[in-house]
Amino acid sequence: MSVASQSNRSRDRRLPVLNVAMVGHAFMGRAHGNAYRQVNRFFDLPMRVVPKVVVGRDRRRVTAAAGKLGFEAASTDLEAVLADPDIHVVDVATPNDSHHAISMQALRANKHVLCEKPLAMTLAQAKEMARLAKRKNVRVGVWHNYRRAPATTLAARTIARGDIGTVLQVRCVYLQDWLSDPKAGWSWRNSKKLAGSGAHGDLNAHLIDLTRALTGLEFEEVCGLQQTFHKRRPAGGGKQKRVDVDDAFCFLAKFKGGAIGTYEATRVAPGRKNYNCIEVSGTEGTIRWNLERMNELEVFSFADRRDTQGFRTVMCMDGVHPYAPHWWPDGHIIGYEHTFVHHVADFVQALAGERPFAPDFDDGVAVQAVLEAAQKSAERGRWVRVS
Ligand code: SOE
């Protein structure tokens, strides 16, 4: 081993460790696990993140997941893991219906908590989680990873410094097509009891958080419309199960201060695989970000010369762009999984007391309030104020 890598390794070993227990190990567990393993390799952090233990219900599956995801251990005993003083962070990467219970148990055990979105099943649950997090001297976060792409972070900065003037409108969509086929199997995401809502809580949650992160706007009143096109789905063994959540959910929004917004989430838009796209237009210009072109930010400004005005596409992977210097030379692009690494890097910096972290559980409550008001509006067929 070279002298340099020996000194790096010994330096690393001297850092205080941050042992992570991750509850759940499916899609989001894989994305989070990758981030825990990668973060110290690309960010010089004041702590060394250790993927310590994966917690699951099935011994065989959780043991396999721990091996595959690079965690030191596997467990089916959440109580014992939370009682372990050497566990510092609990990551809640489970379906929506267990976010509240696991987070509350982890907070009572004085653990830092990173919880998947949406924070909870109801606004009341989300508020309870935020209240307990405040009472405990811990750091908490919600995995709204899309605010941590270099391009979305840049968008927030350009809007904050006035590049597009006063924000007038937000128009965003989050379109997928994995449930377009009526024969696509039933899962927990199709169940109100397990997910709380369908595309709405899964995808509009991201759009609501992105809106707040990019513009600082607060939602005042919403008017929702939802539809379930396929009301039953195959559930194995020739059985069918009822779908009692939305396949698609649209809503209009009025913001404090007079701006307005439009939101659309769907899982039945053929050809749209993970099309998360937000456009913010102000008095002086517009920005547009599309996850399917994640490293690019489209910018229009009336300040540009009239005869060459038009949308410019900025490749947000140069040394001047957020997070970019941690990876590769100018223009070498990154992907979806890097937004999770950025999330962990910022969380560790916050934990080391170097800066605040957002989105925390208060941000999670703000998202939940909009989700719930839009659902009430869709049920009642009228505008509903966001509490
Ligand atoms: C499924 O719709 C899903 O995995 C969401 O749950 C994630 O939050 C989103 O980032 C990708 O799509």
Side-chain angles (χ1 to χ4, degrees):
M1 186 186 314
S2 74
V3 172
S5 60
Q6 270 173 338
S7 63
N8 284 346
R9 190 177 295 278
S10 56
R11 183 185 65 79
D12 236 8
R13 290 275 174 253
R14 283 199 302 277
L15 287 176
V17 296
L18 197 66
N19 293 324
V20 179
M22 182 168 74
V23 190
H25 48 80
F27 175 4
M28 287 302 127
R30 291 173 59 225
H32 301 181
N34 175 65
Y36 294 129
R37 274 201 328 277
Q38 293 287 68
V39 72
N40 287 104
R41 295 173 181 154
F42 289 91
F43 288 76
D44 290 327
L45 297 174
M47 300 167 124
R48 181 160 59 85
V49 176
V50 177
K52 202 74 181 169
V53 57
V54 181
V55 183
R57 284 175 293 199
D58 176 289
R59 162 65 61 191
R60 185 184 54 75
R61 289 179 57 233
V62 71
T63 302
K68 196 167 180 63
L69 298 177
F71 280 72
E72 292 178 7
S75 170
T76 56
D77 184 347
L78 177 60
E79 293 292 330
V81 168
L82 296 181
D84 180 349
D86 283 338
I87 292 297
H88 308 116
V89 178
V90 172
D91 179 334
V92 185
T94 56
N96 303 350
D97 65 323
S98 57
H99 290 183
H100 172 264
I102 297 170
S103 296
M104 294 297 279
Q105 278 180 274
L107 290 170
R108 289 189 192 106
N110 296 304
K111 308 300 186 187
H112 305 297
V113 178
L114 274 172
C115 184
E116 254 304 325
K117 39 55 61 182
L119 182 58
M121 296 283 278
T122 64
L123 178 56
Q125 278 189 351
K127 285 182 173 176
E128 196 183 3
M129 295 158 81
R131 273 196 300 272
L132 182 55
K134 276 200 196 64
R135 281 209 302 276
K136 298 282 183 175
N137 182 25
V138 294
R139 186 77 76 198
V140 293
V142 185
W143 281 100
H144 282 296
N145 57 298
Y146 294 119
R147 56 160 77 194
R148 288 193 154 82
T152 47
T153 307
L154 175 67
R157 290 183 188 171
T158 62
I159 293 172
R161 71 189 181 203
D163 284 13
I164 64 169
T166 303
V167 173
L168 302 179
Q169 290 184 254
V170 180
R171 57 190 70 84
C172 34
V173 297
Y174 199 153
L175 316 175
Q176 296 178 342
D177 70 0
W178 59 284
L179 287 180
S180 296
D181 180 353
K183 294 189 296 301
W186 186 95
S187 76
W188 67 266
R189 292 179 189 271
N190 301 121
S191 156
K192 189 169 183 62
K193 180 173 176 297
L194 301 175
S197 63
H200 186 49
D202 192 22
L203 303 177
N204 273 332
H206 280 301
L207 298 179
I208 295 162
D209 179 73
L210 260 183
T211 300
R212 297 185 69 248
L214 267 56
T215 69
L217 290 173
E218 288 302 348
F219 291 76
E220 187 168 68
E221 206 172 9
V222 291
C223 188
L225 166 66
Q226 66 181 340
Q227 184 59 283
T228 306
F229 299 104
H230 308 299
K231 302 200 188 314
R232 305 184 67 74
R233 289 190 174 277
K239 291 199 303 294
Q240 295 256 323
K241 270 193 176 179
R242 195 163 74 89
V243 175
D244 57 356
V245 295
D246 57 284
D247 287 324
F249 197 113
C250 307
F251 70 94
L252 302 175
K254 296 176 190 170
F255 297 101
K256 294 188 175 94
I260 60 173
T262 59
Y263 294 78
E264 177 189 356
T266 181
R267 295 160 161 169
V268 293
R272 295 297 185 191
K273 299 305 173 184
N274 201 32
Y275 188 85
N276 173 355
C277 185
I278 184 167
E279 181 169 294
V280 182
S281 47
T283 49
E284 309 301 324
T286 297
I287 61 97
R288 179 176 183 272
W289 176 74
N290 165 10
L291 173 62
E292 294 186 349
R293 301 178 71 98
M294 172 189 135
N295 295 283
E296 299 172 2
L297 185 66
E298 292 182 63
V299 179
F300 175 89
S301 173
F302 283 137
D304 292 343
R305 292 178 186 280
R306 183 70 188 82
D307 58 358
T308 52
Q309 270 181 15
F311 271 97
R312 286 178 280 118
T313 300
V314 178
M315 167 53 77
C316 304
M317 278 306 295
D318 286 0
V320 296
H321 295 126
Y323 305 108
H326 290 277
W327 297 102
W328 320 115
D330 289 1
H332 291 62
I333 55 176
I334 58 174
Y336 167 75
E337 77 276 17
H338 296 83
T339 64
F340 292 89
V341 181
H342 302 162
H343 202 94
V344 175
D346 288 351
F347 191 72
V348 171
Q349 298 278 12
L351 274 184
E354 295 177 23
R355 60 180 180 223
F357 182 80
D360 63 10
F361 281 10
D362 287 338
D363 296 303
V365 166
V367 171
Q368 208 80 39
V370 179
L371 290 174
E372 193 158 292
Q375 280 175 282
K376 283 182 181 153
S377 168
E379 287 153 12
R380 300 173 187 171
R382 59 175 179 75
W383 283 86
V384 170
R385 292 192 70 78
V386 177
S387 68

